[in-house]
Amino acid sequence: MKGLLRCAVLDDYQQAATTLADWSPVADRVEVVAYTDHLSHEDRLAARLADFDIVVTLRERVAFPASLLDRLPRLRLLVASGMRNSVIDYAAAARNGVTVCGTGSSSTPPVELTWALLLGLARGVVAEYDALRACGPWQSTIGADLHGSTLGLLGLGKIGSRVARIGLAFGMDVVAWSQNLTAERAAEVGVTLAASREELLAGSDFVSVHLALGERTRGLIGAAELALMRPTAYLVNTSRAAVVDQDALLEALHSGTIAGAGVDVFDVEPLPEEHPLRSAPRLLATPHLGYVTRSNYATYYGEAVEDIRAFLDGSPVRLLP
C-alpha cells in the first residue's frame, strides 16, 4: 500500500461502502479504510483522520467545522453524499485547500419511510405486533382511517409533493403550507393551500414535516403549535429534527396532547441510550432511515468513487457548495 493516498469512509454502519460500490477504478491509487462506528468528539475525530488524504462522509452524520478542518493538514478531498450539506464549513475547507464534492441522492426513500411511519401509527402496527409476539390481547387498538381524513404537509417541495400525491391516492384531503408556498404551486400538485401554519395544524388528522432547516424553520413547531393539533392527530417528521422542538414534543406525547408521533430524525445522533425519546409513549421512532436504501447507498458510494477518480485526474466533479 506504500505510496497510495488514504481514504477514510465514516459511519459505514452496515458495511455498505465497499459492497455496494466498485472501488476498482481507484484501487491503484487509493487505500480505503471504512469505519463502522461513530465518533462525535472532535479530538477523537481529528486523531482518527490525521493520516487521511480523502474522507467520505455520509449525509450530515459528522460535522466538519473550521475547528476540525484546521486540524487536518493532510486532507485534500471531502466527499459528502447528497448535494446539500449544512454541517460543512465550506470557507474553512477552501482556506485549508480541501475540495468538497457531493453525490446524487434520491427523494424516493424518505417519501416511502414517511408513509411507513404514518401507516404504522394509524394502524397501531408496533403495539399489535408486540402483543401478538407476546401472546397478549388479540386486537387492542382501533385504527385511524386515512380515506376521508386530512393530511397536512409542512412543505411541498420535491419530497412533500410526492407524499401529497400518495395521500391523494389514499383518498385523503391534502392541505399544505410553507412560508413561500403559493396557491398556484399547491394546485399544480392537486392540494389546497392552508391559510396559515396554525390553520393546517388545527385542521389536520395527520401532519407531516418536509421543510429544509433554516433560521425561519428552526423550532417552527413548538408547544403552542402542538397544542393546536387535535388530540386524535399524528405528527410525522422525516425531515430535520430541529424543525420540531424536541422537549415540546416529549411533553405532548406524555400528556396526550396528540395521539402520537412518527420520528426519524433527532437532535443528537446516534440517540444516546438514556435519551427520553427512547422510552416515550405514543412514539414510533426509527434511527434516521429516511435515505437508507440499497439503491441510494449504491448511488452515494458509487458516485463517491467517481468523485475521487475525477479529483485525482485533476477535474473534480459535483463541487459543493
Side-chain angles (χ1 to χ4, degrees):
M1 294 292 183
K2 186 177 180 180
L4 297 182
L5 297 178
R6 303 194 74 220
C7 172
V9 179
L10 301 182
D11 295 80
D12 186 17
Y13 302 148
Q14 299 96 338
Q15 302 179 48
T18 55
T19 59
L20 294 180
D22 178 11
W23 289 78
S24 63
V26 297
D28 61 337
R29 293 183 282 180
V30 176
E31 173 194 1
V32 179
V33 181
Y35 293 98
T36 58
D37 61 339
H38 174 78
L39 295 183
S40 56
H41 195 282
E42 188 172 301
D43 288 343
R44 295 180 66 192
L45 269 170
R48 170 170 287 182
L49 300 179
D51 295 329
F52 287 94
D53 309 275
I54 302 166
V55 171
V56 176
T57 182
L58 191 59
R59 303 299 293 160
E60 296 171 333
R61 288 181 181 174
V62 176
F64 282 84
S67 55
L68 176 58
L69 290 165
D70 290 344
R71 300 168 70 179
L72 303 175
R74 183 166 165 175
L75 183 63
R76 286 296 170 261
L77 175 65
L78 176 60
V79 179
S81 53
M83 291 302 292
R84 177 187 295 176
N85 193 302
S86 64
V87 298
I88 296 174
D89 188 326
Y90 295 105
R95 187 178 68 248
N96 283 280
V98 178
T99 299
V100 184
C101 298
T103 74
S105 183
S106 172
S107 61
T108 299
V111 171
E112 293 173 350
L113 185 70
T114 295
W115 280 102
L117 291 174
L118 195 152
L119 287 164
L121 288 168
R123 300 305 295 268
V125 170
V126 174
E128 295 290 2
Y129 171 80
D130 287 344
L132 187 146
R133 296 277 289 187
C135 296
W138 187 262
Q139 299 182 359
S140 60
T141 64
I142 299 176
D145 295 284
L146 301 191
H147 185 86
S149 66
T150 299
L151 171 63
L153 300 176
L154 293 169
L156 198 65
K158 185 182 296 184
I159 294 174
S161 61
R162 296 183 70 175
V163 171
R165 292 186 177 100
I166 296 171
L168 293 170
F170 272 114
M172 304 178 80
D173 296 320
V174 184
V175 299
W177 177 89
S178 68
Q179 287 148 329
N180 296 321
L181 183 62
T182 65
E184 291 75 19
R185 168 57 185 159
E188 288 176 6
V189 183
V191 308
T192 303
L193 174 66
S196 65
R197 168 187 53 177
E198 291 75 15
E199 179 184 271
L200 181 144
L201 292 169
S204 298
D205 300 293
F206 300 88
V207 175
S208 191
V209 179
H210 302 287
L211 294 166
L213 182 61
E215 290 307 310
R216 294 192 302 172
T217 58
R218 187 179 298 276
L220 188 73
I221 306 299
E225 290 73 30
L226 290 168
L228 294 172
M229 294 177 63
R230 300 169 178 173
T232 55
Y234 298 91
L235 175 71
V236 176
N237 186 9
T238 57
S239 180
R240 291 292 185 269
V243 175
V244 180
D245 183 276
Q246 189 167 257
D247 292 335
L249 177 59
L250 274 167
E251 175 58 32
L253 292 171
H254 280 283
S255 66
T257 300
I258 60 175
V263 174
D264 185 50
V265 287
F266 307 91
D267 287 343
V268 179
E269 296 182 8
L271 202 63
E273 291 183 5
E274 70 282 2
H275 197 284
L277 278 174
R278 286 188 179 268
S279 57
R282 303 181 178 89
L283 178 67
L284 174 55
T286 48
H288 206 155
L289 299 177
Y291 54 84
V292 182
T293 67
R294 183 172 296 274
S295 63
N296 227 18
Y297 269 35
T299 297
Y300 290 165
Y301 293 118
E303 293 192 3
V305 175
E306 294 176 4
D307 289 349
I308 294 169
R309 184 178 185 180
F311 172 80
L312 296 179
D313 290 342
S315 301
V317 295
R318 306 186 190 96
L319 293 170
L320 295 179

